[in-house]
Amino acid sequence: MSERLSVMFNHADAFIALPGLLNVNGFYNTLLSFLDHAVEQQFLTFSARQILISTATAEQLIDELQSFIPVVDSSMSRLNWSITERRKKLRLDLSLSL
């Protein structure tokens, strides 16, 4: 499964996770407020917050995604979503030198 997710991350421009981005009847308002608060507290960058697009209807969501222009964030460009690279970083050197 993780290999398939890696391929999806490497080839996708956007993801729609229903109902995750589809904010029907304001169901995700609290989550969205939390993310806005995280930006205010400088825990989350504004450009990272803009990645999550939320609308009340599927039609609006599609329109928003089609007109989305990503904001380049230097901290985001350092992230590597590759499964191979993450596995390399997870390996610990446990050798003991005397």
Side-chain angles (χ1 to χ4, degrees):
M1 175 86 164
S2 62
E3 298 276 335
R4 188 170 57 169
L5 287 174
S6 178
V7 170
M8 286 173 39
F9 280 130
N10 291 331
H11 295 288
D13 293 325
F15 295 96
I16 298 178
L18 298 175
L21 298 175
L22 193 57
N23 193 17
V24 177
N25 296 325
F27 184 82
Y28 291 103
N29 285 350
T30 304
L31 173 63
L32 298 170
S33 294
F34 167 75
L35 294 173
D36 292 338
H37 179 71
V39 171
E40 291 169 11
Q41 297 299 310
Q42 299 179 349
F43 184 76
L44 183 66
T45 64
F46 177 77
S47 57
R49 168 62 182 91
Q50 296 307 306
I51 291 171
L52 182 61
I53 298 169
S54 173
T55 64
T57 68
E59 293 82 13
Q60 290 172 328
L61 184 56
I62 291 168
D63 290 343
E64 289 286 327
L65 285 170
Q66 288 177 336
S67 65
F68 179 74
I69 299 172
V71 176
V72 177
D73 183 341
S74 61
S75 65
M76 295 298 287
S77 66
R78 294 185 301 232
L79 295 176
N80 184 344
W81 297 96
S82 164
I83 296 293
T84 306
E85 288 301 315
R86 282 191 288 164
R87 285 188 181 144
K88 287 180 187 176
K89 292 177 185 177
L90 292 176
R91 295 188 180 159
L92 299 175
D93 181 6
L94 301 175
S95 59
L96 180 60
S97 300
L98 299 175

